[in-house]
C-alpha cells in the first residue's frame, strides 16, 4: 500500500521537469501576494460563462497565452512553486559554498554530492569505468541461480520488486512487500496497445535500448535490443493493470516464507532475499499474485543469455544520468522527449537540486525550513487543519447515506487522524552515508544503498511514526493509510495555496481543499478499507457499503466521460481515490469556510462574493497546461486526473457552486441535482 499524493512525481520527473516562469513574489506584510485578495483575476476569461467552462472562466487568459517552457511536460501553479523551491535551495547551496562545511557533516555531503553532479568533465573522463564491475558480474553469470543472485541486489531489475511499509495486518510493525516489476516502459499498455501512436513509442524505445547497448560496447546492439524488448513484452503481458494494482484486498496476500515459495515457485527466494539483507525475514505481503508467479516463470522459460542482456541494459539505463553525457542524452530522448514531448533538457543545476531531493532530501530540508518557513505559517496552518477536521466531523454526523454503526467507526477514524505540517520533528541521520568528491556514480549508488539499508534495519523495530515520506522543500502533500497520517511539507504552504495575508475564502478554496483532499484519502475507495489504527479491517455495514459503491460508480462515470485527447479518456476507476479526495476536499473546505464565518456574511471583494472567491481559488490552483504525450502518459500511468478535470468536475457536484455562479439547466457543466454525487 503506497502513499496517496496530491500530485504524482516520478523519480524521473524529479530529474527532468521544471524551469521557466518567474518565481511567485514573496508575501508582503498584510497584503495578499497575488492580486488584491489572492487570485490573479487578470488571468480570467470573463467572456466564458462559469456554468459552461468554469476552469476556463477562472484561468482562460493564462491558458490561451502562456507558452510552454521547452524543458517542461506540464506547467502550472505547482510548477511555479517548484521553480521557486529549486531557486531557494540553490541559494542555500551558494551560502554553504562560501565557508566549506565541516568534514563528515550533512552539509559536506550535500555540497560534495552536488559538486560531483556538476562536474561534467570528470563524468566524461571516467567513461563507462563506473559500470565495469556490474557488466563483468552480469557477463560471468552462467545459470538461473547466478541470475537470481544478481537480481537480489537492491538496484537491479527483474520480475520481482521489493518495498518495505507498515504491515496492513499490524501497522505497528514493518513488513516486506513483494510487487510486480521489471519493465523499462511504465505500464503494460505501452507494450500491448495496438495503434500507430503506440507503435511510435515502441520504435522510440527500440532506438533507446539499441543506443544503450552501443554505448556499453555490445557486439550486436539492435539484436540485443530486440531480445530485451521481447522479454519485457512477455513480462508486461502478465502484469496487472494499474487499476488492479489499486485493489487493496486483491493486493493484500500475507504469506510466510513457505507460503511464498508455494505461491511463486519459480523464484529461488532463499537466495534472492539473502543478497540484500532479508535472509532472516519470514513474513511477507505479496501484491500482484499472478503477475509475480508468471513473471518469475520467465526465469525458467527464457534463456539465461536473454536475461543477461536485460540486466546489462537496465543497470546502464537506470544510472544513465550518472554516466557520460551520451547515456544521459539517450535517456532524455526517450523518457522525456518521445514519451512526454519535452523539447529541451533542463538546466544542470536544477537537476542537481532534484538529485539532492531524491538522495539526501532531509539534509537539505533542515536548512530550507530554517531559512524559508516562518514559524507563524506553521501555527496558522495547524489552525486551518483543525478547522477542516471539525468540518469533516460535522459532515460525517449528518451524511444521510451512512448508517449509525458505520458513522461511529468513521468518526473514530477521524479522531485519530495525525496531521503533520511543515517539517519532521526528528531529522534523518545521514552519518552512515559516505559521499566522495568526484565520484557521482558511486555517490548515487551509496545513497540508494544507504536508504535501502536504513529501511531493512527498521524491520527489526516498531514503526517510526515520526518519519516523513516527503521532503519539506517538496511542493506536494500525502496521506498514508497505514498510519492514518496527513503530511503537508513547508514548500506547498505558499501562495497561491496558502497566504496568511490573503482573503480567507481563498485559503479555504486552495490549501483548505488540499487538506480536505488528504483527509478524504482516509475515506476514499482504498483508505476506507483501513481503520483508525491503519489496520486493514472492514468497518462498513453491508447496506452503507452498497450505497458507497453506487455513489462512486456514478462518480466514476463523470470522469470516464472526460476525454482530453482522441482515444484517451480518464479512467474513472483508476483515478477514483484521487477524485474522491478532490470532491471530499472541496466539500469539507467549503463547510470549514462557512464555520469560520461564524454566521456573518462574507464581504464582497472586487465584485466577487465569498463563495465565488472560494471556488475560484480552487480552480486557480489547478491551472496548468500539458503536452499531449505527457497527458496520454498521465492518463495511463497516474492515478491523478488531469488538472482541467480536477479544477472543474468536483465543482459540478457541489450545490453551493451552482448558487454562487447562477449555474442553470442548459449550461454545459450543469448536472441535475439528483445526479450530483455527494459522498463525504
Ligand atoms: Zn491525493
Amino acid at each position: 500500500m503506497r502513499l496517496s499524493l496530491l500530485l504524482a512525481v516520478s523519480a524521473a520527473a524529479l530529474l527532468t521537469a521544471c524551469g521557466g516562469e518567474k518565481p511567485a513574489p514573496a508575501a508582503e506584510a498584510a497584503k495578499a501576494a497575488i492580486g488584491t485578495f489572492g487570485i490573479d483575476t487578470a488571468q480570467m476569461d470573463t467572456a466564458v460563462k462559469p456554468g459552461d467552462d468554469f476552469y476556463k472562466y477562472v484561468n482562460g487568459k493564462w491558458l490561451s497565452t502562456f507558452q510552454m517552457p521547452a524543458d517542461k511536460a506540464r506547467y502550472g501553479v505547482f510548477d511555479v512553486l517548484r521553480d521557486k523551491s529549486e531557486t531557494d535551495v540553490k541559494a542555500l547551496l551558494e551560502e554553504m559554498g562560501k565557508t566549506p562545511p565541516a568534514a563528515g557533516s550533512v552539509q559536506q555531503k550535500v555540497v560534495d554530492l552536488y559538486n560531483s553532479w556538476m562536474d561534467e568533465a570528470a563524468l566524461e573522463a571516467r567513461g563507462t569505468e563506473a559500470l565495469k564491475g556490474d557488466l563483468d558480474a552480469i557477463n560471468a553469470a552462467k545459470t538461473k541461480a547466478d541470475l537470481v543472485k544478481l537480481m537480489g541486489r537492491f538496484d537491479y531489475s527483474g520480475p520481482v520488486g521489493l518495498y518495505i511499509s507498515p504491515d496492513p495486518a499490524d501497522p505497528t510493525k514493518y513488513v516486506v512487500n513483494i510487487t510486480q516489476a521489471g519493465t523499462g516502459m511504465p505500464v503494460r499498455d505501452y507494450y500491448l496497445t495496438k495503434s500507430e501512436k503506440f507503435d511510435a513509442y515502441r520504435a522510440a524505445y527500440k532506438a533507446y535500448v539499441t543506443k544503450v547497448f552501443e554505448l556499453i560496447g555490445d557486439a550486436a546492439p539492435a539484436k540485443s535490443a530486440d531480445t530485451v524488448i521481447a522479454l519485457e513484452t512477455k513480462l508486461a503481458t502478465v502484469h496487472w493493470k494499474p487499476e488492479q494494482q489499486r485493489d487493496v484486498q486483491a493486493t493484500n496476500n500475507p504469506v510466510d516464507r513457505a507460503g511464498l515459495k508455494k505461491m511463486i515457485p519459480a523464484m529461488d527466494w532463499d537466495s534472492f532475499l539473502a543478497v540484500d539483507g532479508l535472509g532472516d525475514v519470514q513474513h511477507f505481503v505479496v501484491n500482484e499474485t499472478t503477475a509475480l508467479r508468471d513473471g518469475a516463470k520467465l526465469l525458467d522459460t527464457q534463456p539465461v543469455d536473454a536475461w543477461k542482456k536485460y540486466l546489462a541494459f537496465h543497470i546502464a539505463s537506470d544510472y544513465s544520468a550518472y554516466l557520460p553525457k551520451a547515456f544521459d542524452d539517450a535517456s532524455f530522448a526517450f523518457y522525456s522527449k518521445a514519451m512526454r514531448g519535452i523539447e529541451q533538457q533542463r538546466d544542470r543545476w536544477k537537476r542537481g537540486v532534484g538529485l539532492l531531493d531524491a538522495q539526501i532530501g532531509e539534509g537539505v530540508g533542515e536548512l530550507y525550513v530554517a531559512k524559508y518557513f516562518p514559524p507563524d505559517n506553521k501555527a496558522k496552518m495547524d489552525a486551518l487543519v483543525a478547522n477542516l477536521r471539525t468540518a469533516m466531523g460535522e459532515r460525517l454526523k449528518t451524511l444521510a447515506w451512512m448508517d449509525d454503526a458505520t458513522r461511529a467507526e468513521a468518526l473514530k477514524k477521524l479522531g485519530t487522524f495525525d496531521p503533520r505540517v511543515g517539517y519532521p520533528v526528528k531529522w534523518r541521520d545521514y552519518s552512515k552515508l559516505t559521499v566522495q568528491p568526484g565520484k557521482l556514480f558511486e555517490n548515487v549508488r551509496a545513497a540508494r544503498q544507504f536508504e535501502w539499508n536504513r529501511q531493512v534495519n527498521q524491520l527489526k523495530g516498531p514503526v517510526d511514526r515520526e518519519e516523513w515520506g516527503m521532503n519539506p522543500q517538496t511542493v506536494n502533500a500525502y496521506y498514508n493509510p497505514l498510519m492514518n497520517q496527513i503530511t503537508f511539507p513547508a514548500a506547498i504552504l505558499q501562495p497561491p495555496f496558502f497566504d496568511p495575508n490573503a482573503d480567507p475564502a481563498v485559503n479555504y478554496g486552495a490549501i483548505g481543499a488540499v487538506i480536505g483532499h488528504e483527509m478524504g484519502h482516509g475515506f476514499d475507495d482504498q483508505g476506507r478499507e483501513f481503520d483508525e489504527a491503519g489496520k486493514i479491517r472492514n468497518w462498513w455495514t453491508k447496506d452503507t457499503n452498497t450505497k458507497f459503491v453506487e455513489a462512486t460508480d456514478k462518480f466514476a462515470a463523470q470522469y470516464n466521460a472526460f476525454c482530453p485527447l482522441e482515444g484517451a479518456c480518464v479512467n474513472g476507476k483508476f483515478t477514483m481515490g484521487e477524485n474522491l479526495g478532490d470532491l471530499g476536499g472541496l466539500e469539507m473546505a467549503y463547510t470549514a469556510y462557512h464555520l469560520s464565518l461564524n454566521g456573518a456574511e462574507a464581504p464582497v471583494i472586487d465584485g466577487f462574493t465569498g463563495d465565488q472567491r472560494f471556488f475560484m481559488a480552487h480552480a486557480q490552483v489547478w491551472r496548468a497546461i500539458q503536452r499531449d504525450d505527457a497527458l496520454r502518459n498521465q492518463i495511463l500511468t497516474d492515478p491523478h486526473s488531469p488538472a482541467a478535470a480536477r479544477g472543474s468536475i468536483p465543482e459540478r457536484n457541489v450545490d453551493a457552486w451552482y448558487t454562487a455562479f447562477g449555474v442553470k439547466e442548459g449550461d454545459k457543466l450543469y448536472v441535475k441535482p439528483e445526479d450530483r454525487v455527494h459522498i463525504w
Side-chain angles (χ1 to χ4, degrees), residues 4-7 517-518 521 577-578 640 646:
S4 290
L5 314 179
L6 182 66
L7 195 79
H517 172 100
E518 299 307 337
H521 275 312
E578 297 302 332
H640 301 83
R646 300 186 72 176

Side-chain angles (χ1 to χ4, degrees), residues 64-86:
S64 64
T65 54
F66 187 79
Q67 290 295 312
M68 177 71 82
D71 62 349
K72 305 280 195 203
R74 57 156 272 157
Y75 203 83
V77 164
F78 280 87
D79 308 275
V80 175
L81 283 188
R82 283 178 179 160
D83 285 352
K84 179 176 184 300
S85 177
E86 281 176 348

